[in-house]
Every structure is written in structure tokens, then in C-alpha cells.
Amino acid sequence: MFKPYLGPLPAALNLHLSVDVGAQQHIFEHIISNSRPQHVANNTISSPLLESQSVKVTKKIEPAAVCSVTKGSDFCEINNDIRIDGSSATVFIASSLADQTEWIIRPYARKYDHVAMKRVNEWSVKSAASLLQCNQNHSVPAILFSNGGYAGNIFHDFSDIIIPLYINSRQFNGQVQFVITNKQSWWINKYQNILKKLSRYDIIDIDNQDDIHCFPRGIIGLKRHDRELNINSSESPYSIKDFRQFIRSSYSLQKPAAIRLRDGEKKKPRLLIVSRKRTRAFTNAEEIAQMGRRLGFNVVVAEANGNLSRFAETVNSCDVFLAVHGAAMTNMIFLPENAVFIQVVPFGGFAWLARTDYEEPAKAMKLRYLEYKIKLDESTLIQQYPLDHQVIRDPSSIGKQGWNAFRSVYMVQQNVKVDLNRFRSTLLKALELLHQ
């Protein structure tokens, strides 16, 4: 079944195809239903089949160099001398083979998102019989990755860059050199606590280098695991628990676990309400805060912007985190273990996004997850559109128009006014969980 689909491959291409047995039926159905041929050109593979999470293809371009194609990213692991030329965006590997090969890669871990990948520089990994002269020699391995894509959105900062970077670099215990393409200085400054904990060396802005940098080994691109904001411990010696401990250490966060309430005690759990100024904002945040105080919470209302270190401390000091679905929810990474994480899901068909982006990661992080799905009368969209408009009557029709249409209506135009009587039970459930 695979042979006619994959077609003939170049003799120089050494492929290994591993398929999760439990997913074979899905893959075979995908093959049958998708008759588009794959293309092999310049030793570059593209295939609809490779979009399956169950498929991984690797290409051994040298005895000590393996490049891999996965659903989330392409990356090369090279256990031999490499030379990086920023002026030509090329990584050279010494070759003893008669046929030299080339691997084209965009070193950002969201390769299935074409908008993101357009913002990422293309790099070439080449085997060559003779190599360029070194201008700068380094004694530690290199990891080359992009600071492009969706960098600047905290969800993508962690899911696409920081967590994959942790997975790939933690093994070196700081003895690794980060080499960045598409460098954005403000981003480096924002996450300096994390970057300095992963590498003891100043970052190289390779796009502005004329020198040839030589390393004893290297990783080009970042391996990522299938799920958002998560680490698959079956594929890594590390877990998302390890990552959260690493984050607490990076920011010197003092609270490892949420408060455990006991009957008769006067301690008040801290409730953080994450406010937003523009879209998907609570229009009655102060009323929610007042209700929280009446129920026994010490309430903090704060916006997730400005200094990340300070906000990380604020989040870590709290026992309950409340926010409307959006990138700011990524700050749950700073919460203490067993904290309660409440996601308010807007109107308009957010179920899949809510589950994959935040519910599943929160549960993997050992947070107690609660969800509050708003009703139509809690959405400000009802003030902008008549009841018989398709935005109100049939949100799926907007979704079918594509991501931009969905985002512009349900993510940009919508704010939330929580029904306090209905929401009260969610806060009471949070208190109940803190007693367990």
C-alpha cells in the first residue's frame, strides 16, 4: 500500500518509516482518500502522509548525521564536526561519500503552519568533501533555531520555541551554544531567565555573522512533541513536570504547591483574575472580584503584560487562575502544583481550541482544571449582531470560511460579561478542590 503512494525514491535517500500500529487504519484511510502524489526533489520530501502524527521519516545524510521529518518540525542531529556559515545560511558537514547531499530546513517547530513558516529563514544542511576554513572555533555543541514564526505570542513562545528548546538542550547542562536566525533582541531580553539557565554562552546572531563558526557537533532545528505545551516523556528523558520545576528555578518562584484548605482555618486562597484590555475581556471583572471576596478568596486582578518575571511571581503566588481563552492562559506554567485553572470558553465553537491548547496541557501539569462555557447572553456579540445573523445562528458557517474569518469575529470582536449567579458554582467548585 505504501509503495505506489510514496513512489520511487532516489537511491541516495535512506528512509526509515515508523508507523504506530494503533493508528494504521487511520493512515491507510488517509492514503486511500488522498490521491495527491508526493514529490521528491533535491532530496526534499513532501507528502500528505507525513501530516499524520504517527509517521516519522529520517534521512541519514552522513554516518554521524541524521535529519528527521515529523509532523511538527524538521531537524538534523549531527554528531560530527559542523561549520555554520551565516552569510549563505548553510551548515556544512564533512563527507567521505562520493555523492554529496543537501537537506533544506526551516528551523522552527510549527512546520504545518504556512503563515508561521513564511517568517522563518530557510537553511541548508550540506555534506561536502572540502570545508570552509574556520574563523571561530567552539568547544561545545551548537543548537540552531529560529526566533521568527509566531514569536511574541506567549503561547507560541513556549509551545514552538521554549519547550522544544528545553527538550533539545537540557541534556547538555548549560554546555551548549545557541545560534539564532531571525533574532529579535526584545524576545531574547524577555526570556533571558530561561535562556541563560539553558546555556552559559552568549547567543550568536548568525544572520549578522561573516565568520565561519565551527562546532564539534550540533542540532539544526528543534524537535517538538505532538501536543501543545507538553512533553511526551516516552520520547524524552524529561517530562512537563521537570520543565515546570526548571521554570520555577529560572524565575526563583517560591510556591511549589497550592494551598490546601482545612475546615476551621482562616487562610484565604488567592484568586487571580487575568484581565484584558482589548479582546475577550471580562466586562464585569470587578463584579467577579467582589463575588470572589464574598466567597472567601483573596482576589488579585492583573493583566498579563509588562515584566514577565513580576507576572510569573504573581501567578505563582495564586491558588486559582481565571481567564478567558487566549494566549495569556499560557502563564499557567508558573502556577504551583495542584492549583485550580479555570478557562472561560467564549461563544462560537471554541471546544477544540480550548481542549488542545489549555485543557490537556493543564491536566498534564497536574493542575485542577475547570471550564466555564459562556452562553450567548454572556457574549457582547449579541449587541453587535441580530439573532438571525449567521454569526449568532450558525458559528460553524463562519469557521468554514477559515481561521481568519473565525478569529476576526469570535476572538477579536467578542468580550465576556459573566453571569454571576451561574458562575458562582464554578468558584465554589474551585474552593471544594482546594479542600481535597
Side-chain angles (χ1 to χ4, degrees):
M1 293 183 69
F2 286 115
K3 184 176 179 181
Y5 183 76
L6 289 175
L9 296 173
L13 200 57
N14 182 5
L15 290 174
H16 303 279
L17 187 65
S18 62
V19 180
D20 179 358
V21 174
Q24 284 184 6
Q25 181 177 355
H26 167 74
I27 295 171
F28 293 160
E29 289 174 352
H30 188 94
I31 294 171
I32 293 167
S33 65
N34 194 332
S35 60
R36 290 177 295 167
Q38 76 133 26
H39 304 285
V40 180
N42 298 324
N43 290 334
T44 300
I45 307 168
S46 64
S47 169
L49 178 62
L50 301 185
E51 294 302 310
S52 168
Q53 292 183 4
S54 306
V55 179
K56 176 181 178 181
V57 177
T58 62
K59 175 186 175 186
K60 193 171 184 180
I61 60 176
E62 283 298 322
V66 176
C67 291
S68 301
V69 175
T70 67
K71 178 179 183 291
S73 63
D74 298 345
F75 58 94
C76 297
E77 299 171 290
I78 305 164
N79 293 313
N80 202 350
D81 291 345
I82 63 171
R83 305 191 180 190
I84 302 179
D85 177 16
S87 63
S88 66
T90 304
V91 178
F92 293 97
I93 311 169
S95 174
S96 58
L97 302 176
D99 294 330
Q100 275 75 57
T101 57
E102 178 178 5
W103 183 269
I104 304 299
I105 188 170
R106 293 183 187 268
Y108 182 78
R110 190 168 288 267
K111 76 169 196 180
Y112 48 83
D113 190 312
H114 301 300
V115 175
M117 298 310 282
K118 286 178 181 178
R119 304 169 184 173
V120 178
N121 289 342
E122 188 175 85
W123 278 74
S124 173
V125 179
K126 286 184 179 181
S127 61
S130 60
L131 297 179
L132 298 173
Q133 186 71 32
C134 295
N135 299 119
Q136 293 196 38
N137 287 284
H138 303 266
S139 60
V140 297
I143 295 181
L144 189 153
F145 63 97
S146 173
N147 200 194
Y150 292 134
N153 176 301
I154 191 172
F155 173 81
H156 292 285
D157 290 340
F158 275 91
S159 202
D160 301 354
I161 303 177
I162 295 172
I163 291 178
L165 189 61
Y166 172 86
I167 293 169
N168 288 269
S169 68
R170 191 61 174 157
Q171 60 183 308
F172 300 115
N173 196 28
Q175 294 295 327
V176 62
Q177 174 70 64
F178 291 158
V179 180
I180 293 189
T181 184
N182 308 108
K183 180 186 174 185
Q184 302 182 68
S185 296
W186 62 265
W187 192 95
I188 303 299
N189 184 62
K190 180 177 181 178
Y191 294 107
Q192 59 180 311
N193 292 51
I194 297 171
L195 298 171
K196 288 181 177 179
K197 195 84 170 177
L198 288 173
S199 172
R200 301 177 186 178
Y201 302 89
D202 291 338
I203 290 170
I204 296 175
D205 179 4
I206 196 63
D207 298 338
N208 292 314
Q209 291 282 318
D210 294 323
D211 290 343
I212 306 300
H213 289 261
C214 298
F215 298 89
R217 56 185 290 204
I219 300 172
I220 313 304
L222 297 176
K223 176 183 180 180
R224 71 168 287 164
H225 295 162
D226 291 338
R227 301 192 181 279
E228 304 287 8
L229 299 175
N230 208 347
I231 297 174
N232 185 346
S233 55
S234 67
E235 299 179 22
S236 169
Y238 310 107
S239 66
I240 195 64
K241 180 179 180 179
D242 297 328
F243 176 74
R244 294 226 303 141
Q245 290 174 342
F246 165 79
I247 289 294
R248 282 199 290 270
S249 174
S250 299
Y251 287 95
S252 301
L253 303 178
Q254 301 301 311
K255 189 171 180 175
I259 191 173
R260 184 174 181 182
L261 298 176
R262 291 177 174 83
D263 292 340
E265 288 185 339
K266 295 183 179 180
K267 290 181 180 179
K268 288 187 175 183
R270 282 170 64 87
L271 164 63
L272 172 62
I273 301 174
V274 180
S275 62
R276 301 170 64 103
K277 288 183 178 178
R278 295 188 296 273
T279 64
R280 282 159 287 140
F282 288 118
T283 62
N284 59 341
E286 185 53 40
E287 294 176 34
I288 299 171
Q290 290 174 7
M291 181 174 70
R293 294 185 186 103
R294 289 195 298 271
L295 292 175
F297 288 100
N298 182 356
V299 180
V300 179
V301 181
E303 189 172 358
N305 59 11
N307 186 287
L308 181 61
S309 295
R310 284 199 296 269
F311 193 70
E313 291 175 3
T314 299
V315 174
N316 180 252
S317 71
C318 293
D319 306 290
V320 180
F321 182 107
L322 168 63
V324 180
H325 174 92
M329 300 197 83
T330 309
N331 289 285
M332 66 180 172
I333 284 171
F334 305 117
L335 282 169
E337 194 163 306
N338 292 323
V340 179
F341 179 75
I342 306 173
Q343 176 174 201
V344 174
V345 181
F347 174 80
F350 279 81
W352 180 81
L353 285 171
R355 184 180 71 254
T356 59
D357 288 359
Y358 301 111
E359 177 184 352
E360 292 175 355
K363 291 177 177 178
M365 294 179 196
K366 304 303 181 186
L367 303 175
R368 269 82 74 91
Y369 178 81
L370 294 176
E371 185 172 285
Y372 180 83
K373 294 180 180 178
I374 73 167
K375 292 185 176 180
L376 177 58
D377 59 3
E378 296 172 277
S379 170
T380 58
L381 289 175
I382 201 171
Q383 301 166 13
Q384 303 171 53
Y385 296 93
L387 290 176
D388 60 351
H389 194 284
Q390 64 178 13
V391 164
I392 304 298
R393 179 176 44 81
D394 186 14
S396 63
S397 67
I398 305 298
K400 290 175 183 177
Q401 295 174 28
W403 170 253
N404 288 336
F406 173 84
R407 180 181 180 278
S408 66
V409 174
Y410 299 107
M411 300 189 79
V412 174
Q413 298 180 29
Q414 180 171 202
N415 289 322
V416 173
K417 184 176 182 179
V418 168
D419 182 329
L420 297 179
N421 291 329
R422 183 168 170 259
F423 185 65
R424 186 174 185 273
S425 62
T426 301
L427 291 182
L428 289 174
K429 180 64 177 178
L431 286 171
E432 179 187 328
L433 290 173
L434 291 174
H435 275 88
Q436 296 176 2

PDB file of all heavy atoms in Angstrom, residues 366-382:
ATOM      1  N   LYS A 366      -0.581  18.737  36.130  1.00  0.00           N
ATOM      2  CA  LYS A 366      -1.123  18.433  37.459  1.00  0.00           C
ATOM      3  C   LYS A 366      -1.839  19.644  38.072  1.00  0.00           C
ATOM      4  O   LYS A 366      -1.770  19.889  39.282  1.00  0.00           O
ATOM      5  CB  LYS A 366      -0.031  17.942  38.405  1.00  0.00           C
ATOM      6  CG  LYS A 366       0.730  16.732  37.900  1.00  0.00           C
ATOM      7  CD  LYS A 366      -0.179  15.549  37.610  1.00  0.00           C
ATOM      8  CE  LYS A 366       0.609  14.340  37.116  1.00  0.00           C
ATOM      9  NZ  LYS A 366      -0.274  13.226  36.698  1.00  0.00           N
ATOM     10  N   LEU A 367      -2.548  20.375  37.223  1.00  0.00           N
ATOM     11  CA  LEU A 367      -3.425  21.439  37.693  1.00  0.00           C
ATOM     12  C   LEU A 367      -4.851  20.904  37.715  1.00  0.00           C
ATOM     13  O   LEU A 367      -5.206  20.026  36.918  1.00  0.00           O
ATOM     14  CB  LEU A 367      -3.330  22.660  36.781  1.00  0.00           C
ATOM     15  CG  LEU A 367      -1.939  23.271  36.594  1.00  0.00           C
ATOM     16  CD1 LEU A 367      -1.982  24.390  35.575  1.00  0.00           C
ATOM     17  CD2 LEU A 367      -1.380  23.779  37.923  1.00  0.00           C
ATOM     18  N   ARG A 368      -5.678  21.403  38.617  1.00  0.00           N
ATOM     19  CA  ARG A 368      -7.093  21.016  38.653  1.00  0.00           C
ATOM     20  C   ARG A 368      -7.841  21.898  37.658  1.00  0.00           C
ATOM     21  O   ARG A 368      -7.892  23.129  37.848  1.00  0.00           O
ATOM     22  CB  ARG A 368      -7.643  21.181  40.064  1.00  0.00           C
ATOM     23  CG  ARG A 368      -7.539  19.945  40.928  1.00  0.00           C
ATOM     24  CD  ARG A 368      -6.185  19.748  41.558  1.00  0.00           C
ATOM     25  NE  ARG A 368      -5.943  20.680  42.648  1.00  0.00           N
ATOM     26  CZ  ARG A 368      -6.239  20.443  43.937  1.00  0.00           C
ATOM     27  NH1 ARG A 368      -6.794  19.303  44.285  1.00  0.00           N
ATOM     28  NH2 ARG A 368      -5.952  21.322  44.870  1.00  0.00           N
ATOM     29  N   TYR A 369      -8.380  21.287  36.623  1.00  0.00           N
ATOM     30  CA  TYR A 369      -8.967  22.040  35.514  1.00  0.00           C
ATOM     31  C   TYR A 369     -10.477  22.184  35.674  1.00  0.00           C
ATOM     32  O   TYR A 369     -11.198  21.207  35.912  1.00  0.00           O
ATOM     33  CB  TYR A 369      -8.657  21.356  34.184  1.00  0.00           C
ATOM     34  CG  TYR A 369      -9.268  22.039  32.985  1.00  0.00           C
ATOM     35  CD1 TYR A 369      -8.663  23.158  32.424  1.00  0.00           C
ATOM     36  CD2 TYR A 369     -10.451  21.574  32.413  1.00  0.00           C
ATOM     37  CE1 TYR A 369      -9.220  23.800  31.321  1.00  0.00           C
ATOM     38  CE2 TYR A 369     -11.018  22.206  31.324  1.00  0.00           C
ATOM     39  CZ  TYR A 369     -10.402  23.314  30.779  1.00  0.00           C
ATOM     40  OH  TYR A 369     -10.960  23.956  29.690  1.00  0.00           O
ATOM     41  N   LEU A 370     -10.948  23.436  35.525  1.00  0.00           N
ATOM     42  CA  LEU A 370     -12.378  23.716  35.467  1.00  0.00           C
ATOM     43  C   LEU A 370     -12.654  24.534  34.208  1.00  0.00           C
ATOM     44  O   LEU A 370     -11.811  25.332  33.790  1.00  0.00           O
ATOM     45  CB  LEU A 370     -12.835  24.498  36.699  1.00  0.00           C
ATOM     46  CG  LEU A 370     -12.760  23.779  38.047  1.00  0.00           C
ATOM     47  CD1 LEU A 370     -13.167  24.729  39.175  1.00  0.00           C
ATOM     48  CD2 LEU A 370     -13.642  22.534  38.062  1.00  0.00           C
ATOM     49  N   GLU A 371     -13.842  24.355  33.657  1.00  0.00           N
ATOM     50  CA  GLU A 371     -14.197  25.061  32.423  1.00  0.00           C
ATOM     51  C   GLU A 371     -15.575  25.691  32.574  1.00  0.00           C
ATOM     52  O   GLU A 371     -16.505  25.070  33.090  1.00  0.00           O
ATOM     53  CB  GLU A 371     -14.180  24.069  31.245  1.00  0.00           C
ATOM     54  CG  GLU A 371     -14.409  24.697  29.899  1.00  0.00           C
ATOM     55  CD  GLU A 371     -14.192  23.684  28.773  1.00  0.00           C
ATOM     56  OE1 GLU A 371     -13.021  23.369  28.492  1.00  0.00           O
ATOM     57  OE2 GLU A 371     -15.191  23.192  28.214  1.00  0.00           O
ATOM     58  N   TYR A 372     -15.667  26.927  32.132  1.00  0.00           N
ATOM     59  CA  TYR A 372     -16.946  27.630  32.150  1.00  0.00           C
ATOM     60  C   TYR A 372     -17.253  28.088  30.730  1.00  0.00           C
ATOM     61  O   TYR A 372     -16.582  28.986  30.204  1.00  0.00           O
ATOM     62  CB  TYR A 372     -16.885  28.831  33.106  1.00  0.00           C
ATOM     63  CG  TYR A 372     -18.180  29.618  33.187  1.00  0.00           C
ATOM     64  CD1 TYR A 372     -19.212  29.199  34.019  1.00  0.00           C
ATOM     65  CD2 TYR A 372     -18.367  30.776  32.435  1.00  0.00           C
ATOM     66  CE1 TYR A 372     -20.402  29.921  34.109  1.00  0.00           C
ATOM     67  CE2 TYR A 372     -19.545  31.499  32.505  1.00  0.00           C
ATOM     68  CZ  TYR A 372     -20.559  31.071  33.336  1.00  0.00           C
ATOM     69  OH  TYR A 372     -21.743  31.775  33.418  1.00  0.00           O
ATOM     70  N   LYS A 373     -18.236  27.464  30.100  1.00  0.00           N
ATOM     71  CA  LYS A 373     -18.627  27.836  28.741  1.00  0.00           C
ATOM     72  C   LYS A 373     -19.734  28.882  28.827  1.00  0.00           C
ATOM     73  O   LYS A 373     -20.797  28.620  29.393  1.00  0.00           O
ATOM     74  CB  LYS A 373     -19.120  26.612  27.969  1.00  0.00           C
ATOM     75  CG  LYS A 373     -18.039  25.571  27.711  1.00  0.00           C
ATOM     76  CD  LYS A 373     -18.597  24.390  26.937  1.00  0.00           C
ATOM     77  CE  LYS A 373     -17.516  23.353  26.679  1.00  0.00           C
ATOM     78  NZ  LYS A 373     -18.043  22.167  25.958  1.00  0.00           N
ATOM     79  N   ILE A 374     -19.461  30.043  28.244  1.00  0.00           N
ATOM     80  CA  ILE A 374     -20.455  31.110  28.349  1.00  0.00           C
ATOM     81  C   ILE A 374     -21.640  30.819  27.427  1.00  0.00           C
ATOM     82  O   ILE A 374     -21.519  30.101  26.428  1.00  0.00           O
ATOM     83  CB  ILE A 374     -19.855  32.492  28.026  1.00  0.00           C
ATOM     84  CG1 ILE A 374     -19.600  32.640  26.520  1.00  0.00           C
ATOM     85  CG2 ILE A 374     -18.594  32.746  28.821  1.00  0.00           C
ATOM     86  CD1 ILE A 374     -19.299  34.076  26.102  1.00  0.00           C
ATOM     87  N   LYS A 375     -22.771  31.387  27.784  1.00  0.00           N
ATOM     88  CA  LYS A 375     -23.952  31.316  26.935  1.00  0.00           C
ATOM     89  C   LYS A 375     -24.019  32.576  26.077  1.00  0.00           C
ATOM     90  O   LYS A 375     -23.305  33.548  26.317  1.00  0.00           O
ATOM     91  CB  LYS A 375     -25.208  31.172  27.784  1.00  0.00           C
ATOM     92  CG  LYS A 375     -25.291  29.832  28.501  1.00  0.00           C
ATOM     93  CD  LYS A 375     -26.621  29.672  29.250  1.00  0.00           C
ATOM     94  CE  LYS A 375     -26.731  28.294  29.876  1.00  0.00           C
ATOM     95  NZ  LYS A 375     -28.025  28.123  30.605  1.00  0.00           N
ATOM     96  N   LEU A 376     -24.898  32.554  25.093  1.00  0.00           N
ATOM     97  CA  LEU A 376     -24.985  33.659  24.141  1.00  0.00           C
ATOM     98  C   LEU A 376     -25.215  35.000  24.837  1.00  0.00           C
ATOM     99  O   LEU A 376     -24.605  36.008  24.464  1.00  0.00           O
ATOM    100  CB  LEU A 376     -26.107  33.389  23.133  1.00  0.00           C
ATOM    101  CG  LEU A 376     -26.380  34.494  22.102  1.00  0.00           C
ATOM    102  CD1 LEU A 376     -25.125  34.793  21.296  1.00  0.00           C
ATOM    103  CD2 LEU A 376     -27.535  34.091  21.183  1.00  0.00           C
ATOM    104  N   ASP A 377     -26.059  34.996  25.878  1.00  0.00           N
ATOM    105  CA  ASP A 377     -26.359  36.273  26.527  1.00  0.00           C
ATOM    106  C   ASP A 377     -25.195  36.794  27.379  1.00  0.00           C
ATOM    107  O   ASP A 377     -25.265  37.898  27.922  1.00  0.00           O
ATOM    108  CB  ASP A 377     -27.637  36.176  27.359  1.00  0.00           C
ATOM    109  CG  ASP A 377     -27.561  35.119  28.452  1.00  0.00           C
ATOM    110  OD1 ASP A 377     -26.487  34.494  28.606  1.00  0.00           O
ATOM    111  OD2 ASP A 377     -28.570  34.903  29.149  1.00  0.00           O
ATOM    112  N   GLU A 378     -24.107  36.015  27.502  1.00  0.00           N
ATOM    113  CA  GLU A 378     -22.912  36.475  28.209  1.00  0.00           C
ATOM    114  C   GLU A 378     -21.854  37.004  27.245  1.00  0.00           C
ATOM    115  O   GLU A 378     -20.795  37.449  27.673  1.00  0.00           O
ATOM    116  CB  GLU A 378     -22.318  35.331  29.043  1.00  0.00           C
ATOM    117  CG  GLU A 378     -23.234  34.842  30.155  1.00  0.00           C
ATOM    118  CD  GLU A 378     -22.709  33.591  30.830  1.00  0.00           C
ATOM    119  OE1 GLU A 378     -22.945  32.485  30.301  1.00  0.00           O
ATOM    120  OE2 GLU A 378     -22.040  33.717  31.873  1.00  0.00           O
ATOM    121  N   SER A 379     -22.153  36.971  25.949  1.00  0.00           N
ATOM    122  CA  SER A 379     -21.227  37.449  24.928  1.00  0.00           C
ATOM    123  C   SER A 379     -21.657  38.821  24.414  1.00  0.00           C
ATOM    124  O   SER A 379     -22.850  39.066  24.201  1.00  0.00           O
ATOM    125  CB  SER A 379     -21.170  36.465  23.750  1.00  0.00           C
ATOM    126  OG  SER A 379     -20.457  37.016  22.657  1.00  0.00           O
ATOM    127  N   THR A 380     -20.689  39.710  24.200  1.00  0.00           N
ATOM    128  CA  THR A 380     -21.018  41.031  23.659  1.00  0.00           C
ATOM    129  C   THR A 380     -21.373  40.960  22.178  1.00  0.00           C
ATOM    130  O   THR A 380     -21.821  41.962  21.608  1.00  0.00           O
ATOM    131  CB  THR A 380     -19.840  42.006  23.849  1.00  0.00           C
ATOM    132  OG1 THR A 380     -18.668  41.465  23.208  1.00  0.00           O
ATOM    133  CG2 THR A 380     -19.558  42.232  25.327  1.00  0.00           C
ATOM    134  N   LEU A 381     -21.193  39.797  21.548  1.00  0.00           N
ATOM    135  CA  LEU A 381     -21.575  39.669  20.131  1.00  0.00           C
ATOM    136  C   LEU A 381     -23.069  39.887  19.946  1.00  0.00           C
ATOM    137  O   LEU A 381     -23.513  40.327  18.878  1.00  0.00           O
ATOM    138  CB  LEU A 381     -21.188  38.283  19.599  1.00  0.00           C
ATOM    139  CG  LEU A 381     -19.689  38.015  19.414  1.00  0.00           C
ATOM    140  CD1 LEU A 381     -19.450  36.571  19.013  1.00  0.00           C
ATOM    141  CD2 LEU A 381     -19.089  38.967  18.376  1.00  0.00           C
ATOM    142  N   ILE A 382     -23.851  39.595  20.982  1.00  0.00           N
ATOM    143  CA  ILE A 382     -25.304  39.746  20.874  1.00  0.00           C
ATOM    144  C   ILE A 382     -25.702  41.217  20.748  1.00  0.00           C
ATOM    145  O   ILE A 382     -26.805  41.548  20.299  1.00  0.00           O
ATOM    146  CB  ILE A 382     -25.995  39.079  22.084  1.00  0.00           C
ATOM    147  CG1 ILE A 382     -27.452  38.778  21.750  1.00  0.00           C
ATOM    148  CG2 ILE A 382     -25.879  39.937  23.332  1.00  0.00           C
ATOM    149  CD1 ILE A 382     -28.145  37.927  22.791  1.00  0.00           C
TER     150      ILE A 382
END
